[in-house]
Amino acid sequence: MNPILVEAWRGDLVESFHRGSYAIVDADGALVAAAGDVERPVFPRSAIKLLQALPLVESGAADRFALSAAELALACASHGGEANHVRTAASILGKAGMDDGALECGAHWPYNDEASRALAAQGASPQALHNNCSGKHAGFVCLGCHLAGGRDRRAFLSGYVQHDHPLMREVGAAIEACTGWPLDRAPRGTDGCSIPTYAIPLRHLALAFARVASGRGLSAGRAAAAQRLRSAIAQAPFMVAGSGRMDTRLMSLFGERVCCKVGAEGMYCAALPESGLGLALKMDDGNNARACEVAMAALLQALGVARDEAQAQLLAQLSNVTLRNWRGIDVARLAAAAELRRNLPATAAPKPSGV
């Protein structure tokens, strides 16, 4: 049974708790720290969008269509559907000579409440551009336009979400190269945005992000693509999530020192370039806001990534969250379990710059 990573306290009693597992790995594949079953294959969901965006850069498509840092960051995003997200996704498509009719992610109301209310107030319906994955899919469309060569672009792109489409084969090859996990033997499912998702052990997901963090174990072109995407995300962290959301809050403060991405069903992955470490986390009950985010903040806190008081305060706040009722009264809190912090050895702390 996996250990308890997060507890919900009401008064002096643990009212409920959340079990999970995590792996912290270096670029050589050594397991630096772990808790729970890190060999069980799990669906990483949106936590690996950076890996899925690697072919967009490595292929030359990003340069061909002159994608900006903000546009590359959106290609790695699960955004809130705010106006700037929607405009940027449309811009990516426009640079490839396409429109939102090419997207195969489907439509849903913006995750951001204000954006959703504004859309409803206009009497409008959500479009594919409002989908939290529209940036990633717009990146896929650019890659597909590049791969199409002289063929009809729309015809080539049709069905690009299928696992055997040439575009998805490129994406799968990047994931396999980073994780070192053969996808042909991995359980395959369908993600919420219609693309394939493959079950991969946490240890191998952490390895992928250690490689993204350091470039080690990757081809020169793929390592350069990973570095460029990390830099783009650090330059435009709003694009990756949006107003008030944890990924944006963390990377706005930490810059390139932390590159993190949440995924559905309690998944979280992070690359820590200073130490060359990768981190992958999975909550057993699939809980994100109540558990996964708290656990990730606690892991970053325990790893000592904070370099100033503002960074330390943010991690402390995110790893010990006060819950208030509708009258604004403090009624409970979510906190990382003590054993989560105890399991991290001193060797997991970041090395000084230049080491």
Side-chain angles (χ1 to χ4, degrees), residues 108-245:
H108 63 68
W109 288 94
Y111 283 170
N112 178 270
D113 288 341
E114 185 176 337
S116 189
R117 288 194 297 269
L119 192 63
Q122 297 166 12
S125 299
Q127 305 299 315
L129 289 171
H130 296 101
N131 188 303
N132 77 103
C133 295
S134 67
K136 176 179 75 173
H137 278 254
F140 289 157
V141 169
C142 282
L143 175 60
C145 289
H146 184 69
L147 296 175
R151 288 170 285 185
D152 179 86
R153 290 180 174 183
R154 287 193 182 272
F156 179 80
L157 282 165
S158 179
Y160 71 80
V161 296
Q162 300 302 316
H163 75 93
D164 56 353
H165 190 281
L167 194 158
M168 280 301 127
R169 288 203 297 267
E170 291 292 321
V171 173
I175 295 171
E176 186 168 304
C178 291
T179 62
W181 189 254
L183 298 190
D184 60 358
R185 78 183 205 199
R188 186 178 75 238
T190 303
D191 214 332
C193 67
S194 300
I195 70 166
T197 181
Y198 298 90
I200 300 169
L202 278 182
R203 182 169 63 85
H204 284 266
L205 292 170
L207 171 62
F209 280 83
R211 289 174 168 173
V212 163
S214 66
R216 291 167 56 192
L218 300 179
S219 67
R222 193 160 283 143
Q227 195 282 327
R228 183 172 172 187
L229 288 170
R230 286 195 293 102
S231 177
I233 289 167
Q235 291 177 59
F238 171 81
M239 290 297 170
V240 178
S243 300
R245 293 178 63 193

Side-chain angles (χ1 to χ4, degrees), residues 269-285:
C269 291
L272 306 177
E274 282 189 335
S275 59
L277 297 178
L279 194 165
L281 164 71
K282 167 70 175 175
M283 301 307 300
D284 289 353
D285 58 4

Side-chain angles (χ1 to χ4, degrees), residues 48-71:
I48 60 167
K49 283 185 175 177
L50 187 152
L51 306 185
Q52 294 166 336
L54 288 170
L56 172 64
V57 176
E58 189 180 7
S59 69
D63 286 332
R64 176 179 176 181
F65 298 115
L67 298 187
S68 67
E71 289 164 343

